[in-house]
Amino acid sequence: MIFIEHFITQTGKNLVCSNESGKIVINKYDNKISKIIFNLDNTIPGRIYFAMLNPVTKKYFITPLVDNTVTITTRISAYPGIWNTLLLGIQDDYEIVDENIDQSKVTYVSNEFKRIVNEVTGQAMTSNIL
């Protein structure tokens, strides 16, 4: 299997994509697995999760970072559009289940990162990209 690695650097509340275009483009039909690898500044207390707002269903998909990495599955690549995302810090004694979050357990929320684009048809949807 071929992997495509994308890198995001977190500094304080800011998330920045380190590739030349400044965005992450995912294509469902590439037959490749995309990974987002985070370079963290070690200021986030607790467990770290990546929250992705689905542009079609308007529901969040929330997944924990494992070794500072998120693997993009068909749960994400099946929906075209621009995914708005956040990094979340959650207290160590709490686990997010079914995308429900006890707000009192949140220790960190990044600024919104709006630079993940899913091209299902092979042509990027770029109308809202900064």
Side-chain angles (χ1 to χ4, degrees), residues 53-128:
L53 181 61
N54 186 314
V56 176
T57 67
K58 303 299 183 202
K59 293 183 180 180
Y60 275 97
F61 168 67
I62 302 172
T63 188
L65 265 63
V66 177
D67 296 326
N68 293 342
T69 302
V70 171
T71 301
I72 304 300
T73 65
T74 55
R75 189 166 179 189
I76 298 162
S77 66
Y79 295 94
I82 298 169
W83 288 70
N84 294 335
T85 63
L86 299 166
L87 270 183
L88 301 174
I90 305 294
Q91 289 179 2
D92 285 326
D93 63 347
Y94 181 74
E95 185 174 339
I96 297 174
V97 178
D98 298 327
E99 279 70 34
N100 294 318
I101 300 174
D102 178 347
Q103 297 284 332
S104 70
K105 303 292 184 176
V106 175
T107 61
Y108 167 90
V109 178
S110 73
N111 292 335
E112 197 171 42
F113 181 75
K114 300 179 180 184
R115 308 287 292 172
I116 297 178
V117 180
N118 183 17
E119 309 177 321
V120 172
T121 63
Q123 183 171 352
M125 298 179 64
T126 58
S127 60
N128 292 327

Side-chain angles (χ1 to χ4, degrees), residues 3-86:
F3 291 92
I4 298 175
E5 295 179 339
H6 306 280
F7 298 91
I8 293 179
T9 299
Q10 172 261 331
T11 306
K13 293 203 174 266
N14 294 321
L15 303 176
V16 177
C17 182
S18 62
N19 66 22
E20 191 174 300
S21 67
K23 65 184 176 186
I24 295 171
V25 178
I26 299 163
N27 190 330
K28 178 180 179 180
Y29 299 109
D30 274 347
N31 200 22
K32 299 173 185 169
I33 297 175
S34 292
K35 289 184 176 185
I36 300 174
I37 301 169
F38 291 88
N39 178 14
L40 304 173
D41 70 3
N42 298 317
T43 61
I44 303 173
R47 294 183 188 172
I48 304 172
Y49 288 81
F50 193 50
M52 302 180 74
L53 181 61
N54 186 314
V56 176
T57 67
K58 303 299 183 202
K59 293 183 180 180
Y60 275 97
F61 168 67
I62 302 172
T63 188
L65 265 63
V66 177
D67 296 326
N68 293 342
T69 302
V70 171
T71 301
I72 304 300
T73 65
T74 55
R75 189 166 179 189
I76 298 162
S77 66
Y79 295 94
I82 298 169
W83 288 70
N84 294 335
T85 63
L86 299 166

